[in-house]
Amino acid sequence: MSLIMASFLSTALLLLVPGILTEKEHGSNPINLTIVNSIADAPNETYSTDIVYRGILLGAMRRLHQTNADFNDHCSSRFTYTENFNYGPFLESVNGVAGNNAEHTYWELLVQTGKNGSVIRPDVGIGCYIPEPNDHIILNFTKW
Ligand code: B12
């Protein structure tokens, strides 16, 4: 009896595990990204895209670039980044507006968390930040 039970359970487990893995490995979550220009006082622009399970923000931004005509601008890149030796990708420009050392301007990464709606300033950049489902990403052009 216990042998039958054990084989039933292991069969059930075998059927379930691939399902769980498939959801985690192939699932994607919708994510919103808002572009704020705190210096020029331009209207905010909000885009929606998808992020894969445990994917980095840069991946979601690349997907947005590939799929969204407004963000894409005739195939020229709507965001650019430079590669920092130590910290990875540094977001340089968004929709043609670039940070400038002489003017002390830059694109700040902020996140309104899905958990309680508070706005945090991640301590990593776009190449390392892993958004949670329902995070609202804010790219804020500002001064340091
Ligand atoms: C000054 C500074 C800035 C300035 C740089 C302006 C400038 N031209 O000087 C500004 C305000 C732009 C900045 C922005 C950000 N920063 Co900063 N910054 C620093 C700080 C305090 C000193 C860097 C420095 O001058 N080093 C000395 C010089 C000689 O070395 P350097 O290699 O040439 O320095 C360059 C890099 O550090 C680069 N840089 C600065 N910050 C970041 C962040 C990322 C992700 C990258 C790729 C590069 C980069 O800018 C410097 C000048 O070119 C460090 C902390 C520290 N004490 O080191 C944090 C630090 C490097 N920054 C950090 C972060 C997280 C950010 C932001 C992502 C914050 C945010 N949420 O918006 C943003 C970058 C967003 C983007 N556009 O991609 C983290 C990086 C950690 C990590 N593993 O990713 C650090 C370590 C602070 C921390 N929180 O622990 N930063």
Side-chain angles (χ1 to χ4, degrees):
M1 181 64 180
S2 64
L3 198 70
I4 296 169
M5 199 63 184
S7 71
F8 172 77
L9 280 175
S10 55
T11 310
L13 205 67
L14 279 175
L15 288 170
L16 275 173
V17 166
I20 295 164
L21 290 178
T22 307
E23 192 190 347
K24 285 194 170 174
E25 284 169 12
H26 302 294
S28 61
N29 291 298
I31 193 164
N32 285 327
L33 185 148
T34 294
I35 293 167
V36 179
N37 190 329
S38 299
I39 296 171
D41 222 10
N44 296 351
E45 290 169 34
T46 296
Y47 302 90
S48 293
T49 183
D50 287 315
I51 188 149
V52 297
Y53 173 72
R54 298 285 292 156
I56 56 171
L57 174 57
L58 180 57
M61 290 169 70
R62 287 182 178 137
R63 182 165 291 105
L64 184 59
H65 169 75
Q66 282 174 348
T67 55
N68 190 295
D70 293 337
F71 205 67
N72 198 313
D73 189 34
H74 314 296
C75 296
S76 74
S77 190
R78 294 306 275 166
F79 70 95
T80 62
Y81 59 88
T82 54
E83 198 66 38
N84 179 273
F85 183 90
N86 295 301
Y87 300 117
F90 181 85
L91 184 62
E92 190 180 47
S93 80
V94 179
N95 284 350
V97 178
N100 184 307
N101 272 341
E103 290 167 8
H104 285 205
T105 56
Y106 78 109
W107 282 97
E108 181 183 34
L109 170 59
L110 300 172
V111 178
Q112 185 172 34
T113 63
K115 283 178 193 143
N116 59 9
S118 63
V119 175
I120 59 155
R121 186 176 187 268
D123 64 357
V124 292
I126 55 170
C128 293
Y129 187 71
I130 298 176
E132 296 282 333
N134 302 319
D135 270 0
H136 187 140
I137 306 299
I138 299 160
L139 303 179
N140 179 37
F141 192 62
T142 186
K143 289 200 165 211
W144 80 73

